[in-house]
Every structure is written in C-alpha cells, then in structure tokens.
C-alpha cells in the first residue's frame, strides 16, 4: 500500500507540474460549460433578439390596395418600398440589401374581395437570420388571414367551430423534469463521459509511453517495488484525473448556470432541477467503474506504444469507440432495457438519462452496475497482465 | 557477486513492412544473447565490451531481471533473479547513459520517490539522502527541477538515485553514452568509488579508453556470444603487442 501511495503521490505531483495535463484535466473542463452556456447561449439569444428588433426592409411588387398592405405598412419594424412590376425579386434579396420581397398576384385584391384566395410569393433568404425575418412577416399575414377567415365564416352565419369540428386539449403526463431529462439528459452525460476520457487520456499516455520514451520506465522496473503495485499507483492517478475532470466540469456547469442564469434565460431553470445531489451521486457511482475501465484500457495502449506520439495516434481514434454508443444513447427511441443495460458506455448514457429525468427502473440500472463493474475488472486484469509482459514493456 | 550461467535470449523478429503486406515470410526469431556465462566478484569491475547491437543491453537487462532469459540462470548475491526478482532487485542498482530521471521532479523528490520504491525505512532514507546529496554535491540544485539541470548535474542525481538503497551490485549500462568529457569523468570516478566501497560492478561500453581506465575483468560480446572472458591483466598480456582496439577487432574477427 505504501508503494502504491508513493507512486500515486509522485505521479500526481508530476502530472500537476505538466502544463499539457493541466490543460486537459483542468482548463478544458473548467471552460467548456461557461463557453457553452455563457458564450454560445448568450450570443445565440443576443442574435435572436437583434434579428427580432431589426428594421426589415421589404420590397412590394404589384402591391394592391389591401388591408394586408396596410397592416404591413403599419407594422413596427417594417420599412416598405414599392418596386416596379417585373423587378427580379431574387436579385433584390440577394444583392440589393432587402430582407424580403413580396410579389402580389395581379388578382390578389379581387380574390380577397370575393371568396377566393389571394396569392402572393414571399422571397427571403433562409440562411442567417432570414428565418426570423420570414416569421415576422408571416405573423402579419397570418393575422390578416385569420381576420378574413372569421369575417367570411360570420358572413355565412357560422362560428369558427364550423371549420374546427374537433377541439383537442393536450395534457402531457410527463413531468417537466422528465421532459427535460429526455431532451438533454443524454447530452449532459455525453459531455461528462467525454471529458472524463480526455481527462484520463493525457496522464495515461504520459505515465506509460511517456515513461518509456524518457527512459524512466527502465529505472522504475529495476526497483524492488512489485510491478503490480506500480501499475496500481499509476491507474489510481489516471482514474482520479478522469473523475477530477468530470467533477470539475460538473462544478463549472453549476457555477456557469448560477452566474449566468438570468442572461441565458430558460436553460438554467431547465437543467437545474436535474442536478439534484442524489442524481449526481448516482451518476458518479456509474462513472467510477467506467473510469477504471478507461484508465486500464488507456494504460494498456500507452504501455504498448513505443513513444508518446505513437500512443496519441493509437488512442485518439479510440475516441470513436466512445462517441458511437454515446450518440446512440442520445437518440430518443433508444431506451434502457435489460439488453441495452449490458452494452458498455451506451448503458451509462441511458442510465444517466433515466436518472436525470427522474425515471429510474432499478432492474436495468442494476444490470448497468454489474456490466460496468465487470468491464472495469476485465480492463484492470488485462492491463496488469499485458503491462507485465516484457514484449509490451520493451516493444521496439 | 553476479553469477551468470548460460543465459540466452531469443526474440521474435519483427516483420518487415513487405512481410506484413504480402504475408509471405513466416515470423523468424532473433537470438540477442547466446549462451553467455560470466562471474563478477565484489570489489571488482567487470567490463562488458562490445560493438553496438552486440547484445550488451539485453544481457544486462536479464541480469537486472527486467527481461526473462530464454535459458540459463542469473544469481545476484546468491538470489536467482528468475525465481525471486524482487529480492534480487533489492540488491542491485541500474544506471544508464539516458539518466532515466523525471524532469518535473526535483533531485530531492526523485531520491525520496526511489527510497519509497525500494522500501527504505524513513529514518534511514533521510540520512542516506543527505549523505548522497552531500557527497555528490547536489545540494545547490536539490530543489531545482531535474529538467532544468545540466547533463553533468543530472548524471550526479542519477548516480544518487542508483545508490539510494545502498545496493551490493551496480550495473552501469553504457553510462557515458553521449556525454561530454567532464560528465563522463564524473561517472568514471563514481564507478571507481563503487569498486573501492566493495561493491560488485558491471559496466558495459563500446569505448576502448574506458576499458583500460576501469576494468578488472573483461568480457567481449559479439553477435550475442561472449567471445572473451578473462581478467584485464591477462587480456593485456595476451594482446600486449597490439593496441586495445586492434586486440578487440582481432577477437571479433576470430569470433565471426
């Protein structure tokens, strides 16, 4: 135990003095959530607000005398201009700085004065904030459409129920937490698992292939310390690094939401209830065996590699092995069953989705624990066996 | 004392790219060390001389119990390294030219770490660290990170690390490889000091000058085989009329 602790302490000190490890273990997990919530969320909301408040320049071609044109003219934030008939509407939107061009059919007013449908075409660019501009124009058109519909129905002596014979009142039985858990419950563990892996990855490469490359492994192996204890000390440090990165990202997310709650609107109020202490505890209890597996897996590959660079090139593509089940776990139709509970990584993604949405079925969750603990055990045994082989340690 | 009896080491030869692509040639083996036997006595320096790739490092790694021999036995102070590697390692120190130090640790932390790995009692380790730091003049940079030290300073730390658990047997695997004259001189002096302290010293090199400076006994290794094993005095009298280099080449030619 004394040797394991000595190795753990030394590796910890060594890792904490390594700038690259600090970036992977501390800086990235600390920064990622403030960037997501503070940066992306803040700027997205700001952009939407800007697009909603922007004065839209709208060109009208063949505009009739119509209440619709009056509504458009009176709408705050719209700047209308009449364009000659035959003007290329596409060119006006693409090259002349107009946000939209409405081309009215010649018979637009006549059709509406009768019982027909007035036709118009709305030209806009859907890229950028064009979608928001289109919605603002469509809101005015829809209001006009509704008023014309009501007038026509009344003129016929009917009420609106005549054209809406069935009224549906939607009553969602899912709680708000369940809805949010379903929507983003898969995404949050996805980030934590990735950060846990990347947090463990750098120390693992440094503690195996890095030692080989620097020639320190040779001196380490000539000490009378049992190899298994040296490996255990190293694994313990890698596990701690992974969990530390995940915890840090969790803390950073909490802090980001607390400090930016009002600015980022609904996001914090949606995620907040999911992050109950019990949920976090359950999530970390799932993450712990998975991190042991990650550490063993990374350590084995790291010892196998001849150099730091080779270890990076072997390990980096392995990220795909984690991404694939995690992405599956984010799909709304993939549920935690006794079968999916046995699939590593996918199971933790689904289980955490269930935990965060407050919809836990303990049977499959127990299978997840068994599966992850078995995986950690297999990974650990394989690591100690392979890392003890001289063909791996002295591979050249 | 080191007793090496008939050790061999056979490796699977790595496939060439062509073999990998066409899967034509079967895997072959490569004998790095072939039936090597020698003995190193306490208070004497045994030099293992050989050209690059002769099998010196593999032989020394077997002696240090890092590699398992395919055949043969190695005993360190009576302990069979294949049967009780840990007990054997407790009696030996291993030093290479690459120093094998952790750049982000200080010399002080390095010594403390290796004392813990060798399970040296805390009360003993503190005193020994102070002694080594004093004798090797490490004090002025003991708290500076190893990565910032000069090569000579690093080698002194490396020697201190090797001696931290006071081993009876010390293996120096090409310790002066790539070092400047002054740093090499420090190492040579330390190898002599180890001998004077009654330790069993085995030293590998391909540099003739070091052989005459240090050797009590000499083994010449070529293509994995030990082609000369006798005292350095006998070597000199046998090849007296030749320079050391000529004598070495003559042995290699006879062995080929």
């Amino acid at each position: 135990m004394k040797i394991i602790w000595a190795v753990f302490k030394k590796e910890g000190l060594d890792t904490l003095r390594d700038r690259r490890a600090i970036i992977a273990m501390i800086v990235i997990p600390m920064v990622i959530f403030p960037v997501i919530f503070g940066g992306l969320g803040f700027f997205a909301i700001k952009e939407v607000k800007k697009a909603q408040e922007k004065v839209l320049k709208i060109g009208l071609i063949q505009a009739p005398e119509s209440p619709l044109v009056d509504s458009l003219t009176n709408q705050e934030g719209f700047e209308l201009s009449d364009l000659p008939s035959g003007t290329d509407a596409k060119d006006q939107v693409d090259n002349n700085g107009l946000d939209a061009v409405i081309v009215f059919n010649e018979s637009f007013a006549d059709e509406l004065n009768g019982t027909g449908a007035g036709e118009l075409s709305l030209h806009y660019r859907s890229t950028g904030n064009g979608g928001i501009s289109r919605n603002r124009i469509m809101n005015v058109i829809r209001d006009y459409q509704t008023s014309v519909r009501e007038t026509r129905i009344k003129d016929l002596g009917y009420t609106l129920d005549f054209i809406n014979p069935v009224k549906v009142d939607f009553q969602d039985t899912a709680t708000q937490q369940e809805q949010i858990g379903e929507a983003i419950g898969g995404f949050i563990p996805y980030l934590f698992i990735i950060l846990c892996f990347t947090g463990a990855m750098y120390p693992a490469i440094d503690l195996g292939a890095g030692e080989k490359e620097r020639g320190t492994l040779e001196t380490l192996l000539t000490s009378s310390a049992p190899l298994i204890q040296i490996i255990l000390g190293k694994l313990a440090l890698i596990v701690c690094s992974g969990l530390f990165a995940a915890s840090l990202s969790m803390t950073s997310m909490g802090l980001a939401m607390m400090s930016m709650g009002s600015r980022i609107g609904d996001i914090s109020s949606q995620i907040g209830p999911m992050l109950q202490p019990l949920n976090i505890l359950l999530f970390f209890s799932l993450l712990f065996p998975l991190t042991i597996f990650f550490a063993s897996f990374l350590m084995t590959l790291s010892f196998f590699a001849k150099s730091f660079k080779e270890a990076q090139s072997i390990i980096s593509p392995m990220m795909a092995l984690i991404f694939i089940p995690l992405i599956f776990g984010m799909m709304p139709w993939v549920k935690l069953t006794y079968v999916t509970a046995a699939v590593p990584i996918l199971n933790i993604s689904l289980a955490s989705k269930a935990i965060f949405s407050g919809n836990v079925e303990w049977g499959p969750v127990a299978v997840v624990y068994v599966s992850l603990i078995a995986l950690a055990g297999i990974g650990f045994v394989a690591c100690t066996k392979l890392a003890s082989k001289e063909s791996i340690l002295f591979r050249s | 004392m080191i007793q090496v009896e008939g050790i061999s080491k056979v490796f699977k030869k790595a496939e060439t790219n062509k073999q990998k692509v066409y899967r034509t040639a079967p895997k072959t083996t490569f004998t790095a060390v072939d039936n090597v036997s020698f003995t190193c006595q306490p208070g004497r320096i045994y030099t293992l001389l050989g050209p690059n790739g002769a099998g010196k490092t593999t032989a020394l790694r077997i002696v240090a119990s890092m590699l398992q021999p395919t055949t043969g036995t190695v005993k360190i102070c009576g302990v069979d390294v294949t049967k009780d590697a840990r007990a054997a390692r407790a009696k030996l120190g291993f030093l290479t030219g690459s120093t094998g130090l952790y750049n982000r640790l200080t010399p002080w932390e390095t010594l403390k770490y290796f004392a813990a790995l060798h399970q040296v009692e805390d009360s003993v380790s503190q005193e020994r660290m102070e002694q080594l730091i004093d004798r090797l003049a490490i004090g002025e940079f003991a708290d500076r990170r190893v990565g910032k030290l000069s090569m000579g300073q690093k080698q002194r730390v490396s020697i201190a690390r090797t001696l931290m658990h006071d081993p009876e047997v010390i293996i120096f695997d090409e310790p002066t490889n790539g070092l400047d004259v002054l740093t090499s001189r420090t190492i040579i002096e330390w190898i002599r000091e180890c001998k004077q302290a009654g330790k069993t010293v085995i030293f590998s090199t391909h540099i003739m000058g070091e052989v005459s400076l240090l050797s009590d006994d000499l083994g010449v290794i070529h293509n994995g085989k030990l082609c000369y094993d006798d005292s350095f005095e006998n070597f000199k009298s046998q090849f007296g009329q030749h320079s050391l280099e000529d004598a070495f080449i003559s042995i290699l030619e006879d062995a080929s």
Side-chain angles (χ1 to χ4, degrees), chain A residues 119-335:
Chain A
E119 287 179 24
L120 58 83
S121 53
L122 174 61
H123 297 254
Y124 71 102
R125 285 186 74 80
S126 62
T127 50
N129 292 326
I132 295 171
S133 306
R134 189 196 73 159
N135 289 344
R136 286 173 64 190
I137 297 167
M138 280 307 295
N139 285 342
V140 178
I141 295 173
R142 264 190 222 107
D143 286 348
Y144 173 67
Q145 204 172 23
T146 308
S147 73
V148 171
R149 190 185 293 138
E150 277 177 12
T151 310
R152 285 180 178 181
I153 293 290
K154 271 183 194 166
D155 288 350
L156 288 170
Y158 298 115
T159 63
L160 280 176
D161 292 344
F162 180 72
I163 54 166
N164 297 318
V166 178
K167 284 183 180 171
V168 181
D169 178 20
F170 292 100
Q171 295 286 337
D172 190 351
T173 58
T175 62
Q176 196 193 12
Q177 192 189 347
E178 284 172 341
Q179 291 169 39
I180 299 159
E182 187 72 29
I184 52 176
F187 176 67
I188 286 178
Y190 171 86
L191 280 176
F192 289 140
I193 291 166
I194 294 293
L195 287 168
C196 178
F197 185 83
T198 51
M201 189 171 86
Y202 187 82
I205 294 175
D206 194 53
L207 269 51
E211 287 240 29
K212 253 187 187 183
E213 195 171 273
R214 292 186 295 266
T216 49
L217 189 66
E218 208 174 20
T219 49
L220 195 60
L221 294 177
T222 54
S223 76
S224 53
L227 183 61
I228 182 91
Q229 294 193 26
I230 294 174
I231 293 173
L232 271 170
K234 284 174 180 282
L235 278 177
L237 193 271
I238 300 167
V239 169
C240 286
S241 303
L243 289 175
F244 180 69
S247 321
L248 210 59
S249 57
M250 185 81 83
T251 313
S252 146
M253 185 174 82
L255 291 174
M257 285 193 308
M258 273 164 63
S259 65
M260 297 172 195
S262 59
R263 275 183 285 164
I264 57 176
D266 285 345
I267 301 171
S268 64
S269 62
Q270 285 173 353
I271 298 175
M274 289 166 52
L275 300 178
Q276 300 296 325
L278 183 66
N279 291 350
I280 293 169
L281 201 71
L282 280 171
F283 176 65
F284 271 90
S285 68
L286 289 167
L287 200 59
F288 182 63
L290 183 71
T291 314
I292 294 176
F293 170 70
F294 280 163
S296 312
F297 178 65
L298 290 168
M299 193 78 213
T300 309
L301 293 177
S302 179
F303 271 131
F304 176 76
K306 288 178 220 162
S307 63
F308 196 96
K309 213 171 172 184
E310 193 188 63
Q312 275 181 318
S313 63
I314 293 172
I315 289 171
S316 299
M318 297 296 164
M319 292 276 278
L321 292 178
I322 299 165
F323 278 121
I324 296 165
L326 281 177
I327 289 166
F328 263 102
M330 286 165 72
M331 305 295 166
W333 59 86
V334 184
K335 301 282 178 200

Side-chain angles (χ1 to χ4, degrees), chain A residues 2-3 6-7 10 13-14 17-18 206 211 214-216 218-226 390 394, chain B residues 9 61 64 66-68 86 89-90 94 96 100-102 104-105 109 113-114 116-119 145 161:
Chain A
K2 222 175 159 188
I3 292 172
V7 174
K10 177 260 157 193
L13 188 65
D14 204 11
R17 286 178 181 170
D18 184 359
D206 194 53
E211 287 240 29
R214 292 186 295 266
T216 49
E218 208 174 20
T219 49
L220 195 60
L221 294 177
T222 54
S223 76
S224 53
E390 61 183 48
F394 296 99
Chain B
K9 184 68 187 175
R61 279 179 175 174
M66 279 187 272
L67 293 177
Q68 282 282 316
R86 277 189 65 200
R89 282 178 200 158
F94 192 88
T96 67
L101 294 171
Y102 296 98
R104 292 186 290 266
L105 295 191
E109 288 161 349
Y113 179 49
F114 277 88
L117 287 179
H118 284 289
Q119 296 135 83
R145 289 194 197 171
R161 173 191 58 74

